[in-house]
C-alpha cells in the first residue's frame, strides 16, 4: 500500500447557499473515511473537514421557521425548543454542527469525528488550519444567479418576446 | 503401622473437596471472558451470564456477520468507484452484464491493493456505458423500415 493512504488529510468546503442537511451527508462521508477504499469503522481512517461560510447556508421552504432544535438541561422544567432562525442568530455554526452530529448517530467514535469537523461562520480561517488543507469537497447545490448579479449589458442583450 | 482412621474419615486436610471442578471452571471462564469489560472479566459469578450469552452469540450472529462484511465490501468498492467518477450501482451492473465473475470480496481487495486493475475495471464500465448510449442513439436515429406508418410520419406530412 502507498504510504500516503493512511494519512489524515484536511478538506475544505464552502457552505455558501448550500443545504445544511445535504452538505452534512457529504461531509460525514469524509469524516468517517467512507471515501477511502481502506475504510473500516474501527480503523480511524476519517479526515478533517473545514467548513466556512456557515452563516450563509440556505434551507428550503419554511424550515427556518419550522425546523426546531430541542435542548433539555436534565433539570425539572428544563426543556426548551428554538426555531432554526433563532439558533442561527445566536450561533451561526450550530445548525450545520447539529446536522452532522445527527447523521453520525450510532457510531462509537462520534465525539472524535465531531472534533475533526471545524466550522467557521465567515471566510476567516486561522492560518494554522489553512496550511494543512490539501483538498476541496465539491458543493452539493449549484448556486443560482440572482437578478442583481446580471450586468446591465447581459439584461439588454437577452432576446425579448414583446416590446 | 500408621492409623488410617483420620485419613478415611476425611478430617482436616484430608477433607474431600465439595466442588472438585472449582478451579477448572474458573480457568475456563477466564479463557472465555478475558476480553470482556469491567468486573465480568475477573469475577466468576458476574461473568456466568455474559459468557453464556457470548457462546450463544457466536452461533446466532453468523448471518449478521456475513451481512456486515458484505456491507463493508460494498462501501469499499463504492469508495474506489467514486475516486474514478463512477457509482457503485452502475459499476456492478456493468460487470454483471458483461459476465465478469468477480465477487465483492475480490473487488474490495482490488480497490485497496491493486488500484490500477481497479481503474481498468472502472474504465471498462465507463466505456461500456458510452457504447450502449451510442447504440441506443443509433437505434433512435435510424429510419423506420418500409411498410410501417408511425404517428410522427402522419404529423410531419400534415
Amino acid at each position: 500500500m502507498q504510504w500516503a493512504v493512511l494519512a489524515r488529510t484536511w478538506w475544505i468546503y464552502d457552505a455558501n447557499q448550500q443545504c445544511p442537511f445535504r452538505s452534512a451527508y457529504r461531509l460525514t462521508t469524509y469524516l468517517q473515511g467512507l471515501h477511502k477504499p481502506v475504510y473500516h469503522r474501527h480503523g480511524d481512517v476519517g479526515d478533517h473537514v473545514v467548513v466556512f461560510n456557515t452563516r450563509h447556508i440556505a434551507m428550503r421552504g419554511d424550515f427556518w421557521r419550522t425546523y426546531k432544535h430541542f435542548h433539555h438541561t436534565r433539570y425539572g422544567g428544563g426543556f426548551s425548543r428554538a426555531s432554526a432562525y433563532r439558533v442561527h442568530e445566536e450561533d451561526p455554526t450550530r445548525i450545520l454542527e447539529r446536522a452532522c452530529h445527527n447523521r453520525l448517530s450510532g457510531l462509537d467514535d462520534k465525539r472524535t469525528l465531531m472534533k475533526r469537523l471545524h466550522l467557521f461562520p465567515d471566510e476567516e480561517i486561522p492560518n494554522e488550519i489553512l496550511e494543512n488543507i490539501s483538498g476541496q469537497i465539491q458543493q452539493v447545490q449549484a448556486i443560482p444567479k440572482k437578478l442583481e448579479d446580471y450586468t446591465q449589458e447581459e439584461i439588454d442583450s437577452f432576446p425579448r418576446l414583446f416590446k | 503401622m500408621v492409623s488410617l482412621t483420620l485419613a478415611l474419615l476425611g478430617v482436616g486436610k484430608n477433607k474431600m473437596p465439595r466442588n472438585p471442578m472449582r478451579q477448572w471452571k474458573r480457568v475456563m471462564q477466564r479463557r472465555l471472558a478475558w476480553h470482556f469489560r469491567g468486573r465480568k472479566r475477573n469475577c466468576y459469578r458476574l461473568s456466568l451470564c455474559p459468557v453464556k450469552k457470548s457462546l450463544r452469540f457466536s452461533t446466532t450472529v453468523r448471518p449478521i456477520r456475513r451481512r456486515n462484511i458484505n456491507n463493508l465490501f460494498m462501501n469499499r468498492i463504492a469508495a474506489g468507484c467514486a475516486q474514478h467518477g463512477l457509482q457503485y450501482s452502475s459499476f456492478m451492473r456493468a460487470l454483471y452484464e458483461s459476465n465478469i465473475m468477480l465477487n465483492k470480496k475480490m473487488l474490495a481487495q482490488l480497490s485497496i491493493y491493486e488500484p490500477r486493475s481497479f481503474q481498468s475495471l472502472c474504465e471498462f464500465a465507463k466505456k461500456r456505458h458510452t457504447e450502449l448510449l451510442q447504440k441506443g442513439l443509433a437505434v433512435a436515429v435510424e429510419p423506420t423500415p418500409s411498410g410501417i406508418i408511425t404517428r410522427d410520419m402522419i404529423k410531419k406530412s400534415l
Side-chain angles (χ1 to χ4, degrees):
Chain A
M1 271 211 276
Q2 294 272 300
W3 62 272
V5 163
L6 300 168
R8 203 174 283 162
T9 41
W10 287 65
W11 300 86
I12 194 157
Y13 181 72
D14 185 4
N16 189 22
Q17 304 293 326
Q18 304 299 305
C19 175
F21 309 113
R22 290 194 211 167
S23 320
Y25 181 79
R26 206 169 272 199
L27 297 174
T28 46
T29 48
Y30 282 88
L31 280 176
Q32 288 172 2
L34 278 167
H35 64 293
K36 297 183 181 172
V38 294
Y39 164 75
H40 195 281
R41 231 193 230 196
H42 306 144
D44 196 14
V45 290
D47 288 339
H48 288 255
V49 174
V50 178
V51 186
F52 65 97
N53 272 335
T54 54
R55 199 187 292 261
H56 306 290
I57 51 172
M59 292 221 264
R60 68 175 181 93
D62 264 349
F63 270 29
W64 282 114
R65 188 175 53 84
T66 51
Y67 190 79
K68 308 276 184 180
H69 278 215
F70 308 113
H71 186 59
H72 203 295
T73 58
R74 302 183 89 185
Y75 284 99
F79 180 71
S80 64
R81 62 181 146 224
S83 299
Y85 73 94
R86 282 195 203 274
V87 170
H88 199 62
E89 267 166 35
E90 211 187 289
D91 184 9
T93 64
R94 183 121 41 105
I95 293 179
L96 241 187
E97 187 214 317
R98 283 283 106 192
C100 294
H101 190 270
N102 292 337
R103 266 223 78 89
L104 296 170
S105 61
L107 301 177
D108 275 339
D109 47 354
K110 184 183 356 186
R111 297 277 162 95
T112 39
L113 297 186
M114 285 307 291
K115 277 189 195 163
R116 292 187 189 144
L117 176 70
H118 311 276
L119 299 158
F120 298 101
D122 295 309
E123 288 180 9
E124 286 137 13
I125 306 173
N127 270 329
E128 296 120 11
I129 292 175
L130 273 180
E131 277 164 8
N132 294 336
I133 286 160
S134 60
Q136 186 169 15
I137 303 175
Q138 212 180 15
Q139 284 191 318
V140 170
Q141 288 169 292
I143 301 171
K145 211 166 166 183
K146 290 188 241 182
L147 189 60
E148 289 103 40
D149 297 335
Y150 282 99
T151 55
Q152 192 56 40
E153 291 124 16
E154 279 175 329
I155 296 169
D156 294 332
S157 63
F158 200 81
R160 299 189 65 160
L161 291 172
F162 307 106
K163 286 241 171 148
Chain B
M1 211 175 103
V2 185
S3 77
L4 295 169
T5 27
L6 288 173
L8 291 170
L9 275 175
V11 176
K13 270 193 274 184
N14 303 327
K15 198 169 161 186
M16 177 98 163
R18 289 263 167 252
N19 188 1
M21 300 291 280
R22 192 173 184 276
Q23 285 300 317
W24 183 87
K25 275 195 207 170
R26 272 140 184 80
V27 163
M28 278 312 291
Q29 201 81 309
R30 208 150 286 168
R31 266 190 220 168
L32 295 166
W34 64 268
H35 59 277
F36 287 1
R37 195 193 275 197
R39 277 205 282 167
K40 338 193 255 270
R41 190 171 50 219
N42 295 323
C43 306
Y44 175 73
R45 269 192 197 173
L46 299 174
S47 61
L48 274 171
C49 291
V51 160
K52 274 187 206 163
K53 198 151 192 190
S54 78
L55 290 169
R56 200 195 315 156
F57 275 152
S58 66
T59 54
T60 57
V61 99
R62 280 171 195 160
I64 297 171
R65 189 191 301 135
R66 282 190 268 277
R67 218 182 293 158
N68 286 345
I69 291 174
N70 208 27
N71 278 333
L72 178 67
F73 290 152
M74 277 158 66
N75 279 331
R76 286 186 167 170
I77 298 166
C81 290
Q83 283 176 346
H84 296 113
L86 261 185
Q87 280 198 332
Y88 169 82
S89 42
S90 30
F91 177 70
M92 297 304 278
R93 189 181 177 166
L95 293 185
Y96 174 77
E97 285 173 0
S98 335
N99 279 329
I100 293 178
M101 304 275 192
L102 281 170
N103 61 354
K104 293 202 189 107
K105 176 177 160 188
M106 292 324 296
L107 284 170
Q109 293 284 340
L110 287 179
S111 71
I112 300 172
Y113 295 109
E114 316 289 339
R116 300 282 180 227
S117 315
F118 196 78
Q119 191 179 12
S120 58
L121 281 171
C122 289
E123 297 301 318
F124 168 81
K126 284 187 208 170
K127 203 172 175 186
R128 188 172 174 283
H129 176 70
T130 46
E131 278 174 13
L132 284 176
L133 264 182
Q134 280 162 3
K135 212 158 80 171
L137 281 171
V139 160
V141 158
E142 75 190 8
T144 48
S146 63
I148 296 173
I149 306 170
T150 57
R151 205 183 295 161
D152 251 5
M153 292 161 91
I154 299 170
K155 274 190 188 166
K156 274 182 193 160
S157 64
L158 287 175

